[in-house]
Amino acid sequence: MQKTFRKTAVVAGAAAAAFGLTLSPASAAPSTTWTVTPSGSYTATNAGNIVLTATIPMTCTTSGASGTMASATGNPAQVAAINAINFGTASTPCTSVLGTVTTVAVTPWTVVAQDYTAGVTKGYIGNVTANVTAGVCKFTVTGKASATYTNSTGVLAVNSVAGELSVTNPVNCGTVITTATKPLFKGNYAIKASNGAIPTIIGTNP
């Protein structure tokens, strides 16, 4: 009786294992294929003001970026790298009530895709690090910023929410900007591929 029971248990266990192996691939979430056209280098120019708010708004009327875009698979998946980004210029600096604002980005940043619906890709700008000086106040912003990219317009809209970005190393900022401050990064960038075309990002699932 014991031998029969053991044989039955072994057979049942093997069947369960085989059943589990059969189900595993089907139960896994499908991986999104992100098709970027054209791939390669791109440039970005602000379409309207770019605003970094860390208790007080710091506004840039000029901002630009450049990097590379490429197709990818995964969810989330990196579809672009921001290899350089500037906020303001010598002739049109960013401003705030604390004085002129200088922002030095530590790149590369990433553009990460998470969801696609009817020509709009939702995701975020990742690996954000920037050293900010506003008057005598200095601090570093790190984290990520929610964003969407719309194929029909070629606009990357950055619209971070509280808690995505944080402040470190504030110096001479008093109580205005502290490590408890939750910065916001908002603004639109018009994207152009190296051939002048508006790139498209399309997400499909198998």
Side-chain angles (χ1 to χ4, degrees):
M1 181 63 118
Q2 263 187 335
K3 288 183 180 178
T4 302
F5 178 79
R6 285 176 185 166
K7 286 182 181 178
T8 303
V10 169
V11 172
F19 185 68
L21 288 172
T22 302
L23 285 183
S24 292
S27 62
S31 186
T32 303
T33 297
W34 301 96
T35 303
V36 177
T37 307
S39 59
S41 60
Y42 73 88
T43 56
T45 305
N46 66 298
N49 290 342
I50 305 299
V51 180
L52 173 66
T53 302
T55 306
I56 58 170
M58 290 165 273
T59 303
C60 305
T61 59
T62 303
S63 182
S66 61
T68 57
M69 304 179 72
S71 299
T73 301
N75 198 331
Q78 180 180 327
V79 293
I82 300 173
N83 296 325
I85 184 167
N86 71 278
F87 298 92
T89 64
S91 58
T92 56
C94 305
T95 58
S96 74
V97 295
L98 295 179
T100 299
V101 179
T102 301
T103 300
V104 179
V106 180
T107 55
W109 296 0
T110 58
V111 180
V112 177
Q114 291 180 296
D115 183 63
Y116 177 81
T117 305
V120 178
T121 297
K122 293 182 180 180
Y124 60 87
I125 309 300
N127 201 38
V128 173
T129 300
N131 298 313
V132 183
T133 301
V136 298
C137 172
K138 299 180 180 181
F139 59 97
T140 299
V141 174
T142 60
K144 68 177 184 177
S146 292
T148 60
Y149 181 75
T150 303
N151 289 336
S152 61
T153 61
V155 170
L156 176 68
V158 184
N159 189 20
S160 72
V161 299
E164 291 184 328
L165 295 168
S166 60
V167 167
T168 59
N169 306 317
V171 177
N172 298 324
C173 300
T175 58
V176 178
I177 299 173
T178 70
T179 54
T181 302
K182 300 184 186 301
L184 297 174
F185 175 22
K186 298 180 184 292
N188 295 338
Y189 288 89
I191 311 298
K192 288 289 180 69
S194 58
N195 64 0
I198 293 175
T200 60
I201 302 174
I202 297 175
T204 55
N205 290 319

